[in-house]
Amino acid sequence: NFPPGIYNSDFIGNCPTPSSNIFTPMALAKHKVILHLIKCFKNLRQFGDKFNKNISQELAADVEKIQATLKMAIEQIYLTTTLVLTDRIYENLNIALDQSALLELYYQERVPDRFLFELITVCYEKTQDFEFIFTQLLRGLFMGMQRNLCSPTIITHHMELLAKLMAIKVGASRPLCDLLAKQMNFLPPLCTQIPGREIVKCSYLGPFMSVSFFAEENVRFAEAHGKS
């Protein structure tokens, strides 16, 4: 049984493929904190962009102080975000509900690309934090892709999001590509006599091989769209 949760939460919004419609109070608290941090991030970036346009009108001493203050504020936002996403604030007491707060909000398009890219860059320097946050996110994406394979409509939302994440670069590296390749289920050791089906069912590559319009392979799609 699930612990007390929130059903049909407003946090689901208009997301076409939320990972769940049940969120623990702890998960909802994380959502609220991250949304507040994103709001602070947007305000700081807007102020910074406006300030940089008029920087020639400022005194040199003031410019240095303001830039240092903005940098410190942004660093604190990412530090707090990392603490929340690594369960150091709002610890996850139920392992069965392995919900990535960052992924849920990203599904809803409430995480700006700039915020995500900079978060990845900051976390990439701290291997343990980076792997904790984004391994959880990749697990959630995999579960979402698996859940939507056999459905009345062909849903590629998760795959598109994964492709977007894989394209992110930090220097010459693609951190999320490297992390995905390190996952246990990226290419698991084969242990049955039907390796093709085993890869499709168990591997992270499986969802990319499973999208099908054939009735015998996707019964629910065939039922929704007829035999034609």
Side-chain angles (χ1 to χ4, degrees):
N1 294 328
F2 289 109
I6 303 299
Y7 293 80
N8 298 323
S9 166
D10 290 339
F11 275 95
I12 296 175
N14 296 319
C15 172
T17 54
S19 66
S20 176
N21 64 350
I22 301 175
F23 295 100
T24 65
M26 200 67 69
L28 289 177
K30 288 183 178 182
H31 291 170
K32 291 178 180 178
V33 172
I34 294 173
L35 285 173
H36 176 71
L37 291 167
I38 289 174
K39 182 178 180 180
C40 293
F41 169 83
K42 288 180 177 178
N43 290 339
L44 282 168
R45 287 306 186 198
Q46 287 174 1
F47 177 84
D49 292 342
K50 184 177 180 181
F51 174 77
N52 289 332
K53 289 180 181 179
N54 302 305
I55 198 169
S56 60
Q57 302 174 16
E58 303 288 341
L59 297 175
D62 291 339
V63 169
E64 186 176 345
K65 289 179 181 178
I66 292 173
Q67 288 179 335
T69 302
L70 287 172
K71 181 180 178 183
M72 181 180 66
I74 291 293
E75 289 174 350
Q76 289 302 311
I77 287 174
Y78 285 126
L79 174 60
T80 307
T81 301
T82 300
L83 291 175
V84 171
L85 294 176
T86 54
D87 290 346
R88 289 175 223 172
I89 301 177
Y90 301 115
E91 181 181 0
N92 179 21
L93 300 177
N94 191 299
I95 304 300
L97 288 178
D98 182 29
Q99 297 171 314
S100 169
L102 185 63
L103 179 60
E104 296 298 337
L105 297 177
Y106 204 64
Y107 278 154
Q108 301 163 34
E109 299 181 350
R110 300 171 87 174
V111 180
D113 287 343
R114 187 175 181 181
F115 180 86
L116 179 67
F117 297 163
E118 290 183 18
L119 177 64
I120 290 172
T121 302
V122 170
C123 290
Y124 189 50
E125 298 175 359
K126 302 174 183 178
T127 304
Q128 189 173 358
D129 291 342
F130 175 78
E131 292 187 352
F132 185 102
I133 294 169
F134 292 101
T135 294
Q136 185 185 53
L137 185 146
L138 289 174
R139 281 199 302 268
L141 266 180
F142 176 69
M143 293 171 64
M145 289 190 294
Q146 289 280 44
R147 187 176 58 252
N148 287 290
L149 286 178
C150 295
S151 60
T153 56
I154 301 298
I155 298 174
T156 60
H157 181 66
H158 304 83
M159 296 180 183
E160 292 167 2
L161 174 54
L162 181 63
K164 187 174 184 179
L165 293 171
M166 294 300 105
I168 296 173
K169 297 182 71 174
V170 176
S173 302
R174 296 184 186 270
L176 288 162
C177 284
D178 295 338
L179 184 61
L180 177 59
K182 290 169 61 177
Q183 300 304 299
M184 291 290 292
N185 66 336
F186 179 70
L187 192 59
L190 302 178
C191 57
T192 71
Q193 299 301 313
I194 45 174
R197 287 190 178 183
E198 187 178 351
I199 290 175
V200 168
K201 293 295 183 183
C202 303
S203 169
Y204 212 104
L205 302 175
F208 296 91
M209 305 174 184
S210 301
V211 177
S212 176
F213 298 98
F214 293 106
E216 62 272 19
E217 295 177 355
N218 194 339
V219 176
R220 293 179 63 189
F221 181 84
E223 290 174 347
H225 297 275
K227 296 183 179 180
S228 59

